[in-house]
mmCIF file of all heavy atoms in Angstrom:
data_model
loop_
_atom_site.group_PDB
_atom_site.id
_atom_site.type_symbol
_atom_site.label_atom_id
_atom_site.label_comp_id
_atom_site.label_asym_id
_atom_site.label_seq_id
_atom_site.Cartn_x
_atom_site.Cartn_y
_atom_site.Cartn_z
ATOM 1 N N TRP A 453 159.719 78.646 192.675
ATOM 2 C CA TRP A 453 158.841 78.295 193.790
ATOM 3 C C TRP A 453 158.526 79.552 194.575
ATOM 4 O O TRP A 453 159.415 80.376 194.824
ATOM 5 C CB TRP A 453 159.499 77.238 194.676
ATOM 6 C CG TRP A 453 159.477 75.891 194.028
ATOM 7 C CD1 TRP A 453 160.408 75.370 193.173
ATOM 8 C CD2 TRP A 453 158.445 74.923 194.145
ATOM 9 N NE1 TRP A 453 160.011 74.123 192.768
ATOM 10 C CE2 TRP A 453 158.813 73.827 193.345
ATOM 11 C CE3 TRP A 453 157.258 74.871 194.858
ATOM 12 C CZ2 TRP A 453 158.031 72.687 193.234
ATOM 13 C CZ3 TRP A 453 156.461 73.732 194.758
ATOM 14 C CH2 TRP A 453 156.853 72.656 193.952
ATOM 15 N N LEU A 454 157.269 79.695 194.973
ATOM 16 C CA LEU A 454 156.816 80.871 195.702
ATOM 17 C C LEU A 454 156.256 80.460 197.056
ATOM 18 O O LEU A 454 155.589 79.435 197.174
ATOM 19 C CB LEU A 454 155.717 81.589 194.913
ATOM 20 C CG LEU A 454 156.024 81.949 193.454
ATOM 21 C CD1 LEU A 454 154.790 82.536 192.782
ATOM 22 C CD2 LEU A 454 157.196 82.907 193.370
ATOM 23 N N VAL A 455 156.522 81.291 198.058
ATOM 24 C CA VAL A 455 155.977 81.102 199.402
ATOM 25 C C VAL A 455 155.843 82.490 200.020
ATOM 26 O O VAL A 455 156.582 83.412 199.663
ATOM 27 C CB VAL A 455 156.880 80.163 200.247
ATOM 28 C CG1 VAL A 455 158.238 80.779 200.528
ATOM 29 C CG2 VAL A 455 156.191 79.714 201.518
ATOM 30 N N ASP A 456 154.884 82.641 200.926
ATOM 31 C CA ASP A 456 154.647 83.967 201.517
ATOM 32 C C ASP A 456 155.866 84.514 202.244
ATOM 33 O O ASP A 456 156.181 85.690 202.140
ATOM 34 C CB ASP A 456 153.460 83.917 202.477
ATOM 35 C CG ASP A 456 152.138 83.769 201.761
ATOM 36 O OD1 ASP A 456 152.064 84.071 200.550
ATOM 37 O OD2 ASP A 456 151.171 83.342 202.403
ATOM 38 N N ALA A 457 156.541 83.683 203.015
ATOM 39 C CA ALA A 457 157.733 84.076 203.777
ATOM 40 C C ALA A 457 158.414 82.805 204.270
ATOM 41 O O ALA A 457 157.809 81.733 204.269
ATOM 42 C CB ALA A 457 157.346 84.956 204.966
ATOM 43 N N VAL A 458 159.669 82.933 204.675
ATOM 44 C CA VAL A 458 160.405 81.804 205.256
ATOM 45 C C VAL A 458 160.989 82.271 206.589
ATOM 46 O O VAL A 458 161.958 83.031 206.615
ATOM 47 C CB VAL A 458 161.530 81.297 204.329
ATOM 48 C CG1 VAL A 458 162.261 80.120 204.976
ATOM 49 C CG2 VAL A 458 160.997 80.925 202.951
ATOM 50 N N PRO A 459 160.391 81.849 207.698
ATOM 51 C CA PRO A 459 160.944 82.211 209.009
ATOM 52 C C PRO A 459 162.376 81.677 209.168
ATOM 53 O O PRO A 459 162.741 80.657 208.563
ATOM 54 C CB PRO A 459 159.990 81.538 209.994
ATOM 55 C CG PRO A 459 158.692 81.438 209.239
ATOM 56 C CD PRO A 459 159.121 81.126 207.822
ATOM 57 N N PRO A 460 163.185 82.343 209.989
ATOM 58 C CA PRO A 460 164.605 81.970 210.103
ATOM 59 C C PRO A 460 164.843 80.524 210.523
ATOM 60 O O PRO A 460 165.848 79.928 210.132
ATOM 61 C CB PRO A 460 165.153 82.932 211.170
ATOM 62 C CG PRO A 460 164.116 83.931 211.442
ATOM 63 C CD PRO A 460 162.834 83.482 210.819
ATOM 64 N N ARG A 461 163.939 79.934 211.307
ATOM 65 C CA ARG A 461 164.181 78.561 211.799
ATOM 66 C C ARG A 461 164.243 77.526 210.675
ATOM 67 O O ARG A 461 164.722 76.422 210.884
ATOM 68 C CB ARG A 461 163.133 78.184 212.834
ATOM 69 C CG ARG A 461 161.721 78.011 212.297
ATOM 70 C CD ARG A 461 160.735 77.670 213.430
ATOM 71 N NE ARG A 461 159.364 77.730 213.017
ATOM 72 C CZ ARG A 461 158.606 78.821 213.014
ATOM 73 N NH1 ARG A 461 159.124 79.969 213.396
ATOM 74 N NH2 ARG A 461 157.359 78.772 212.615
ATOM 75 N N TYR A 462 163.768 77.877 209.483
ATOM 76 C CA TYR A 462 163.790 76.945 208.349
ATOM 77 C C TYR A 462 164.986 77.176 207.431
ATOM 78 O O TYR A 462 165.094 76.539 206.387
ATOM 79 C CB TYR A 462 162.507 77.075 207.531
ATOM 80 C CG TYR A 462 161.248 76.853 208.322
ATOM 81 C CD1 TYR A 462 160.384 77.907 208.586
ATOM 82 C CD2 TYR A 462 160.913 75.588 208.800
ATOM 83 C CE1 TYR A 462 159.215 77.714 209.307
ATOM 84 C CE2 TYR A 462 159.739 75.392 209.529
ATOM 85 C CZ TYR A 462 158.897 76.460 209.774
ATOM 86 O OH TYR A 462 157.742 76.258 210.488
ATOM 87 N N LEU A 463 165.868 78.083 207.802
ATOM 88 C CA LEU A 463 166.990 78.460 206.943
ATOM 89 C C LEU A 463 168.315 77.927 207.463
ATOM 90 O O LEU A 463 168.555 77.895 208.675
ATOM 91 C CB LEU A 463 167.093 79.992 206.852
ATOM 92 C CG LEU A 463 165.917 80.706 206.196
ATOM 93 C CD1 LEU A 463 166.080 82.215 206.359
ATOM 94 C CD2 LEU A 463 165.816 80.321 204.728
ATOM 95 N N GLU A 464 169.156 77.560 206.517
ATOM 96 C CA GLU A 464 170.530 77.145 206.832
ATOM 97 C C GLU A 464 171.432 77.740 205.761
ATOM 98 O O GLU A 464 171.182 77.577 204.566
ATOM 99 C CB GLU A 464 170.640 75.625 206.810
ATOM 100 C CG GLU A 464 172.042 75.112 207.003
ATOM 101 C CD GLU A 464 172.167 73.608 206.743
ATOM 102 O OE1 GLU A 464 171.131 72.923 206.634
ATOM 103 O OE2 GLU A 464 173.316 73.148 206.646
ATOM 104 N N LEU A 465 172.474 78.426 206.184
ATOM 105 C CA LEU A 465 173.451 78.970 205.250
ATOM 106 C C LEU A 465 174.326 77.846 204.749
ATOM 107 O O LEU A 465 174.952 77.151 205.545
ATOM 108 C CB LEU A 465 174.304 80.051 205.930
ATOM 109 C CG LEU A 465 175.430 80.639 205.067
ATOM 110 C CD1 LEU A 465 174.865 81.342 203.841
ATOM 111 C CD2 LEU A 465 176.274 81.580 205.912
ATOM 112 N N LEU A 466 174.320 77.639 203.436
ATOM 113 C CA LEU A 466 175.185 76.583 202.875
ATOM 114 C C LEU A 466 176.614 77.064 202.875
ATOM 115 O O LEU A 466 177.489 76.411 203.398
ATOM 116 C CB LEU A 466 174.751 76.233 201.462
ATOM 117 C CG LEU A 466 173.446 75.477 201.340
ATOM 118 C CD1 LEU A 466 173.212 75.071 199.891
ATOM 119 C CD2 LEU A 466 173.463 74.232 202.211
ATOM 120 N N ALA A 467 176.835 78.189 202.234
ATOM 121 C CA ALA A 467 178.161 78.778 202.193
ATOM 122 C C ALA A 467 178.059 80.056 201.387
ATOM 123 O O ALA A 467 177.329 80.108 200.402
ATOM 124 C CB ALA A 467 179.170 77.833 201.551
ATOM 125 N N ALA A 468 178.801 81.039 201.811
ATOM 126 C CA ALA A 468 178.917 82.229 200.978
ATOM 127 C C ALA A 468 179.805 81.827 199.811
ATOM 128 O O ALA A 468 180.756 81.089 199.978
ATOM 129 C CB ALA A 468 179.510 83.372 201.775
ATOM 130 N N ARG A 469 179.439 82.264 198.616
ATOM 131 C CA ARG A 469 180.177 81.840 197.420
ATOM 132 C C ARG A 469 181.234 82.843 197.042
ATOM 133 O O ARG A 469 181.080 83.900 196.657
ATOM 134 C CB ARG A 469 179.212 81.630 196.264
ATOM 135 C CG ARG A 469 178.178 80.570 196.520
ATOM 136 C CD ARG A 469 178.763 79.241 196.323
ATOM 137 N NE ARG A 469 177.864 78.214 196.775
ATOM 138 C CZ ARG A 469 177.835 77.011 196.243
ATOM 139 N NH1 ARG A 469 178.606 76.680 195.283
ATOM 140 N NH2 ARG A 469 177.026 76.110 196.722
#
Side-chain angles (χ1 to χ4, degrees):
W453 286 88
L454 307 175
V455 66
D456 288 340
V458 180
R461 68 182 170 273
Y462 303 111
L463 296 172
E464 175 190 348
L465 176 62
L466 289 186
R469 299 281 170 150

